[in-house]
């Protein structure tokens, strides 16, 4: 059982570039979410989804886009990367929004 | 919006010392409470959770936490830490029926052998 798989593990972008962080889970979880982890800030919710076709914004959604066309996949798109988006990104999933989260291994993103 | 405060940012203990990490949240309604741990080089994983019932909950690896509703607190404890407990610890809360988790800023624990 792979759990939650995030790719890539590391990425360097130039300001203005766009990219997609991939997240896939094989546990048939309805709830999926994206967080960013910054020093001294903890984990902050970017976007979440309670099922295929349903997404909503979290605390820090600006500059990010998501979609959920299947139960398994929840990609995070950076539309025009900015240095302020340098962070470690985590994808997490669970059976529902009130259950424990299963986390991916993270993506370390640097925007120059 | 909800918020979670973790008062200790970096804690250094010797092996066998007792541990207590503070966590307070701000939300007037019913909440679910969690402690997650991130060991070096590993995924975040659940230590323990409180949904309802006995306010003293036990988790993995000898950790426990006590929910005190009147203080909006959910402090994590372990009577005797080990070197392998070196990790970052995050408190998290979500409103019962809500869709968003709120995490604290984390506490980095270093245990000296």
């Amino acid at each position: 059982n792979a759990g939650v798989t995030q790719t890539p593990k590391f990425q360097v972008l130039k300001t203005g570039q766009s990219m997609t962080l991939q997240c896939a889970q094989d546990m048939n979880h309805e709830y999926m979410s994206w967080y960013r982890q910054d020093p001294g800030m903890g984990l902050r919710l970017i976007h979440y989804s309670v099922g295929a076709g349903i997404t909503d914004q979290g605390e820090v959604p600006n500059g990010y886009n998501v979609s959920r066309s299947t139960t398994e996949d929840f990609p995070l798109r950076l539309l025009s990367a900015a240095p302020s988006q340098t962070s470690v990104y985590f994808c997490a999933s669970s059976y529902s929004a009130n259950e424990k989260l299963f986390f991916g291994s993270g993506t370390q993103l640097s925007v120059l | 919006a909800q918020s979670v405060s973790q008062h200790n940012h970096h804690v250094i203990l010797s092996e066998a010392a007792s541990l207590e990490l503070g966590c307070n949240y701000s939300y007037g309604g019913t909440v679910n409470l969690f402690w997650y741990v991130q060991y070096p080089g590993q995924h975040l994983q659940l230590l323990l959770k409180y949904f309802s019932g006995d306010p003293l909950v036990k988790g993995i690896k000898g950790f426990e936490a006590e929910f005190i509703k009147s203080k909006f607190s959910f402090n994590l404890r372990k009577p005797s830490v080990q070197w392998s407990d070196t990790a970052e610890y995050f408190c998290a809360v979500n409103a019962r029926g809500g869709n968003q988790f709120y995490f604290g800023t984390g506490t980095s624990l270093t245990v000296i052998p």
Side-chain angles (χ1 to χ4, degrees), chain A residues 27 44-45 51 54 67 77 83-84 95 107:
Chain A
M27 297 174 281
R44 292 180 292 168
L45 180 64
I54 306 169
S67 60
R77 280 180 284 276
S84 60
Y95 290 104
T107 297

Side-chain angles (χ1 to χ4, degrees), chain B:
Chain B
Q2 300 159 49
S3 67
V4 180
S5 298
Q6 290 183 242
H7 318 296
N8 318 99
H9 298 295
H10 196 180
V11 173
I12 302 173
L13 294 172
S14 297
E15 273 193 320
S18 64
L19 170 72
E20 180 159 3
L21 301 182
C23 173
N24 287 88
Y25 65 93
S26 66
Y27 181 69
T30 304
V31 294
N32 301 316
L33 296 157
F34 307 81
W35 276 97
Y36 286 87
V37 61
Q38 188 175 27
Y39 296 105
Q42 294 188 28
H43 298 197
L44 275 144
Q45 58 185 281
L46 183 71
L47 260 184
L48 47 80
K49 62 183 180 183
Y50 172 80
F51 282 4
S52 63
D54 188 344
L56 184 62
V57 293
K58 296 190 184 300
I60 61 172
K61 304 187 179 185
F63 286 91
E64 64 179 32
E66 185 176 13
F67 171 49
I68 302 180
K69 189 175 181 180
S70 61
K71 295 185 178 180
F72 298 88
S73 70
F74 190 55
N75 292 355
L76 181 70
R77 300 194 292 247
K78 186 171 184 178
S80 175
V81 295
Q82 300 172 319
W83 174 79
S84 58
D85 294 324
T86 294
E88 188 143 17
Y89 294 80
F90 293 93
C91 182
V93 62
N94 79 337
R96 191 72 54 82
N99 292 323
Q100 300 197 33
F101 287 83
Y102 294 87
F103 283 80
T105 52
T107 298
S108 175
L109 172 66
T110 301
V111 180
I112 301 169

